[in-house]
Amino acid sequence: MSRIVGGIGISHTPSMGTEFDRGMREGFSPAWQVWFDGTRPVKAWLAAMRPDQIVVIYNDHLNLFEFDAYPTLAIGVAERFAQADEGWGKRPLPDLPGDTAFGWHVTESLIQQEFDLTVCQEMAIDHGIYSWLPYVADAPWPAPILPIAANMIRQPLPSSQRLWKLGRALRTAIEAFPGDQRVVVISTGGMSHQISGARFGIANIDLDRFFLEHLHRDPDRLLRIPQKELMRLGGTEAAELSIWFAMRGALSDRIAQIYTFHTFPQITGCGVAVYEEPNQTSAD
Ligand SMILES: [Fe+2]
């Protein structure tokens, strides 16, 4: 039987990725240095957990799916996932490795649990994963990655409660996978920000910090906030915080909060939270 050893919630933004590349070349700007430094403990924790599989629930930003056919939930099952070119060329990072045995197992289990995901055997991955990944792991990537995409672009969006339940179903699927694999579940969504319309540029650092404060012990309080209220308070793209519930829903209530961090380098609140299941440390 396999098991979830811990989870991470983390922001993503296009600039987080391009600033990583610039930072590695010529040093980080002061604002992005804060984020880079803030992710060092996350990188150390992930390495110590020695995951055999990493599940990432993220959202695409019209770099893979198009409005003509936008799946609410989609899963990638392939031996590798290429990086999407978002218009500025591909960054110097390798494809993501995939494990098709694990991917098909999770797909079948989720469908049996009434989550009818669109299965993608080719899946170009945008900054939803590539922007934060090099902050928390070095290439070659430490484990196969199973990407699950949640629609955060086209209304109607899957609700926070639905994404929480996806996390619960994901836990059931992982625990039924043979082989005693250690699995880390990561959810990624931008914190407060808005990149269109009259409210372009608004953000709400208080909302971000409230979210980080309550996700560990009182996620129900966050789940009660309507998605539209998240968007009103934090900007339309703050809806992506809903994705974090998939990770939290996959974890037990016995988790320890290992780390949280928040900063605001540019346009989007950048935060991260790390949780660990009991008795799952690297020595286990
Ligand atoms: Fe996003």
Side-chain angles (χ1 to χ4, degrees):
M1 300 290 281
S2 297
R3 60 209 158 124
I4 296 175
V5 293
I8 299 172
I10 192 164
S11 301
H12 62 241
T13 79
S15 52
M16 185 189 292
T18 52
E19 292 293 336
F20 180 87
D21 299 342
R22 191 205 312 267
M24 289 293 121
R25 271 195 325 266
E26 26 186 286
F28 284 88
S29 67
W32 283 102
Q33 185 71 52
V34 173
W35 173 246
F36 179 80
D37 292 344
T39 57
R40 295 310 81 200
V42 186
K43 186 178 183 187
W45 176 85
L46 184 60
M49 296 311 283
R50 296 181 295 103
D52 299 302
Q53 306 281 351
I54 299 173
V55 180
V56 181
I57 306 100
Y58 79 110
N59 70 297
D60 169 67
H61 305 77
L62 294 170
N63 292 304
L64 171 63
F65 305 119
E66 298 182 353
F67 282 136
D68 288 346
Y70 213 97
T72 301
L73 296 170
I75 189 165
V77 184
E79 290 181 353
R80 46 195 54 255
F81 304 98
Q83 180 187 168
D85 183 343
E86 300 189 50
W88 52 77
K90 291 192 185 187
R91 296 168 50 213
L93 296 167
D95 293 349
L96 308 181
D99 179 335
T100 54
F102 182 64
W104 283 121
H105 166 86
V106 170
T107 300
E108 288 177 12
S109 175
L110 289 177
I111 286 179
Q112 284 165 7
Q113 296 178 74
E114 302 181 356
F115 279 90
D116 309 319
L117 289 81
T118 299
V119 179
C120 303
Q121 292 187 261
E122 282 192 27
M123 203 170 193
I125 304 287
D126 70 6
H127 71 270
I129 294 179
Y130 269 97
S131 64
W132 52 266
L133 184 59
Y135 287 85
V136 304
D138 292 326
W141 312 120
I145 291 173
L146 178 61
I148 298 176
N151 166 36
M152 286 290 137
I153 295 288
R154 181 183 183 127
Q155 292 286 349
L157 311 180
S159 68
S160 298
Q161 289 77 10
R162 181 68 172 155
L163 290 161
W164 175 277
K165 289 175 185 171
L166 173 66
R168 302 312 286 176
L170 193 55
R171 184 180 187 92
T172 299
I174 290 167
E175 289 179 344
F177 187 65
D180 198 28
Q181 303 250 290
R182 300 168 58 87
V183 182
V184 168
V185 177
I186 300 177
S187 271
T188 175
M191 303 196 92
S192 65
H193 66 304
Q194 177 154 337
I195 54 171
S196 62
R199 298 201 306 161
F200 176 93
I202 75 155
N204 187 335
I205 292 172
D206 290 340
L207 174 68
D208 293 347
R209 297 200 164 150
F210 184 86
F211 194 90
L212 285 170
E213 279 167 20
H214 288 83
L215 190 60
H216 177 211
R217 288 278 175 233
D218 196 7
D220 287 347
R221 182 161 182 190
L222 300 177
L223 279 166
R224 286 198 298 272
I225 302 172
Q227 216 166 28
K228 285 183 179 167
E229 186 68 358
L230 283 177
M231 296 165 82
R232 189 185 71 78
L233 292 169
T236 48
E237 279 71 36
E240 292 182 11
L241 280 168
S242 303
I243 300 176
W244 290 46
F245 291 122
M247 174 275 296
R248 182 62 188 84
L251 301 180
S252 76
D253 283 335
R254 298 185 301 143
I255 49 169
Q257 179 169 284
I258 302 297
Y259 182 68
T260 64
F261 179 78
H262 182 272
T263 184
F264 193 88
Q266 187 178 356
I267 301 286
T268 304
C270 286
V272 60
V274 178
Y275 307 111
E276 186 175 316
E277 294 284 359
N279 308 315
Q280 303 288 4
T281 58
S282 57
D284 187 23

